[in-house]
Amino acid sequence: MAEPSLPPYGVGDLPGAGKREAPAAARNIGPIGDVLADWLPEAGTVLEIASGTGEHALAYARRFPGLDWLPTDPDTEAMASIAAWRDEGPSNLLPPQRIDATDAAWPVATADAILCINMVHISPWDSAVGLVAGAARTLRPSGRLILYGPWLERGVEPAPSNITFDGWLKERDPRFGLREVETFADLASLHGLRLVERRTMPSNNLMLLFERAGA
């Protein structure tokens, strides 16, 4: 899913054919990348679900040259933006593919890791279910599913900014909203994916690391 198109969470157009930018991407590329440096394998293929503007894909293909980076999105404008950013990228940044997380089959045979940034809360719950099911189908044994975004946690008081954001999302679409870590982890466990680590990130976000059972 694309990010919300209304301020203050908007996506803007840049000069050039189809290229777009998200202010949040400029802020979180570095912090997310630092965690990915700990969590990603040294070599293999990373499948990015809901790549949005394509800025993250470009940055991480450059930062992790030993990994083939495959960006995806279901949105036509997002696909055009990803392709435009890819023109500046290295050879390990692969052409974008159209994937909707809810699709029963993805056009990717296997991946060593799957990254999903800021999608689960900006999409219906069916997208989260599809993401987990797709990860279970696609990840190699011991492969990793990595998520970033704002989350709710049982027994933890939400930050005021997250409460505001949650309300804004639900006004935009009642199917949207911040999800509970424990609920998502229960869903993932049904598909053989175990939550193995969480990290607190700037601006009241979290990164979650799930691992598929080994062979």
Side-chain angles (χ1 to χ4, degrees), residues 4-25:
S5 58
L6 300 175
Y9 312 107
V11 173
D13 295 323
L14 289 174
K19 187 180 288 185
R20 311 183 79 199
E21 67 173 354

Side-chain angles (χ1 to χ4, degrees), residues 98-109:
R98 190 180 303 276
I99 290 181
D100 187 316
T102 62
D103 290 342
W106 294 352
V108 178

Side-chain angles (χ1 to χ4, degrees), residues 58-82:
L58 173 63
Y60 301 142
R62 286 173 170 168
R63 181 162 180 173
F64 305 106
L67 292 166
D68 289 329
W69 204 275
L70 177 55
T72 74
D73 206 277
D75 181 76
T76 299
E77 291 185 357
M79 290 283 286
S81 181
I82 296 165

Side-chain angles (χ1 to χ4, degrees), residues 21 28 33 46 65 92 99 123-124 128 134 145 159 164 176 183 186:
E21 67 173 354
N28 63 35
V46 177
N92 64 314
I99 290 181
S123 59
L145 171 64
T164 299
F176 294 3
T183 300
D186 288 343

Side-chain angles (χ1 to χ4, degrees), residues 113-148:
I114 294 175
L115 174 67
C116 186
I117 296 172
N118 283 335
M119 183 201 81
V120 173
H121 60 288
I122 314 181
S123 59
W125 181 246
D126 285 351
S127 296
V129 174
L131 173 65
V132 170
R137 292 192 307 266
T138 307
L139 285 172
R140 302 180 192 277
S142 300
R144 293 181 158 188
L145 171 64
I146 301 170
L147 294 95
Y148 168 91

Side-chain angles (χ1 to χ4, degrees), residues 123-201:
S123 59
W125 181 246
D126 285 351
S127 296
V129 174
L131 173 65
V132 170
R137 292 192 307 266
T138 307
L139 285 172
R140 302 180 192 277
S142 300
R144 293 181 158 188
L145 171 64
I146 301 170
L147 294 95
Y148 168 91
W151 292 83
L152 303 175
E153 295 182 278
R154 294 174 190 169
V156 177
E157 184 70 24
S161 61
N162 281 353
I163 295 174
T164 299
F165 188 31
D166 182 60
W168 181 84
L169 288 169
K170 289 175 179 175
E171 287 180 3
R172 183 169 181 263
D173 190 322
R175 300 173 301 167
F176 294 3
L178 273 60
R179 313 301 183 185
E180 188 180 75
V181 171
E182 292 82 0
T183 300
F184 188 92
D186 288 343
L187 169 68
S189 68
L190 296 176
H191 293 266
L193 296 164
R194 181 172 61 94
L195 178 61
V196 295
E197 190 173 348
R198 62 175 289 287
R199 293 212 189 165
T200 302
M201 302 295 289

